[in-house]
Amino acid sequence: MTVALTPAEVKQWRRSERERLIALRLQQAADLRSQWTDKIAAALFSLLKEAKGPVSFYWPFKGEPDLRPMMRELAGASVQLALPVVVVKGQPMQFRPWAPRCKMVPGIWNIPVPDTAETVVPAILLAPVVGFDPRGFRLGYGGGYFDRTLAQLHGDRQVFGIGYDCLEIPTIHPQGYDIPMTMIVTQSGRVVN
Ligand SMILES: Nc1nc2c(c(=O)[nH]1)N(C=O)[C@@H](CNc1ccc(C(=O)N[C@@H](CCC(=O)O)C(=O)O)cc1)CN2
Ligand SMILES: Nc1ncnc2c1ncn2[C@@H]1O[C@H](COP(=O)(O)OP(=O)(O)OP(=O)(O)O)[C@@H](O)[C@H]1O
């Protein structure tokens, strides 16, 4: 049974859950994370190699699966890639085209972003998760950036959550603004469809 929480309780609960899950992720041995990442990348590659539109990735931090080797491989296979950029705090993100060796500059939290004014509209968005639930809801870093961005990206876009199995929780206590992901790819396979 899901216990209904007030919005203020949800906010507080998410804050502590985020902290716990980020610590849990960083506690996993680096070689284990990298084995899991190889499995995630293998599953993703078959989903992405035929992508018709731009695919947005992420520049990994805090123990997120490092998919940069696959970014280079897909770029070589002529898939158009992009990275999310927080241009204005509290506003939807932009996506800038990325290619191997393109110039990068530090963005929010010093995460590198492409140094260009060009933007693209992704058809597939990879969303790294801090946590996820079996209904496909995502817990992120608490900025609300993915939900805000998805709310204004209409049409045929798909969102693939990316994370490790140990980040699954029974519910994220979804609120009206939370938008479920199309599926979540973990080292053991797809969690939601
Ligand atoms: N690797 C990676 N890059 C990414 C994301 C990601 O999840 N992973 N993002 C995906 O979204 C965006 C950055 N997300 C951010 C999310 C929150 C805050 C932030 O300032 N959080 C507040 C907490 C707010 C609260 O708890 O009320 C803070 O820490 O002060 C910054 C960036 C874009 N780049
Ligand atoms: N579509 C939206 N429009 C306006 N505000 C929003 C929207 N979506 C989320 N928010 C705000 O963002 C705040 C943080 O949301 P939430 O806890 O879901 O972040 P998150 O998904 O963990 O973060 P992120 O996507 O940045 O990694 C919420 O309190 C909410 O008020």
Side-chain angles (χ1 to χ4, degrees):
M1 197 189 77
T2 307
V3 185
L5 301 178
T6 66
E9 286 169 334
V10 169
K11 206 175 161 88
Q12 198 177 14
W13 175 84
R14 284 190 182 181
R15 199 165 280 164
S16 67
E17 201 57 2
R18 236 173 238 128
E19 230 175 277
R20 181 182 76 78
L21 290 166
I22 293 170
L24 177 69
R25 186 166 67 190
L26 288 168
Q27 269 163 29
Q28 309 302 310
D31 62 336
L32 200 52
R33 272 191 267 133
S34 122
Q35 284 172 34
W36 294 342
T37 299
D38 288 347
K39 292 197 171 146
I40 292 168
L44 265 178
F45 190 76
S46 51
L47 292 168
L48 298 182
K49 67 177 192 296
E50 312 285 0
K52 292 287 173 278
V55 181
S56 79
F57 273 75
Y58 57 89
W59 205 261
F61 82 138
K62 295 194 185 193
E64 290 169 344
D66 182 357
L67 299 174
R68 287 174 298 178
M70 190 177 37
M71 290 170 70
R72 291 188 275 271
E73 200 176 342
L74 287 168
S78 298
V79 176
Q80 157 121 64
L81 303 185
L83 286 169
V85 184
V86 173
V87 182
V88 182
K89 282 191 184 177
Q91 291 295 312
M93 296 185 289
Q94 263 185 11
F95 296 90
R96 294 186 185 162
W98 176 89
R101 292 175 302 281
C102 78
K103 183 160 190 264
M104 304 284 276
V105 291
I108 196 164
W109 282 354
N110 279 327
I111 302 172
V113 298
D115 185 18
T116 175
E118 250 184 275
T119 61
V120 297
V121 178
I124 300 178
L125 294 90
L126 304 190
V129 303
V130 170
F132 66 94
D133 75 18
R135 289 196 283 165
F137 286 106
R138 170 180 182 273
L139 186 69
Y141 293 102
Y145 287 110
F146 260 105
D147 290 322
R148 258 189 227 107
T149 306
L150 291 173
Q152 58 143 46
L153 265 185
H154 302 290
D156 244 356
R157 88 272 181 301
Q158 289 189 297
V159 186
F160 299 166
I162 307 293
Y164 309 121
D165 290 317
C166 60
L167 305 177
E168 180 170 356
I169 53 181
T171 178
I172 70 150
H173 296 286
Q175 305 296 294
Y177 54 79
D178 285 304
I179 300 175
M181 300 175 285
T182 312
M183 69 175 84
I184 299 153
V185 181
T186 70
Q187 71 269 27
S188 69
R190 286 173 231 177
V191 175
V192 191
N193 258 315

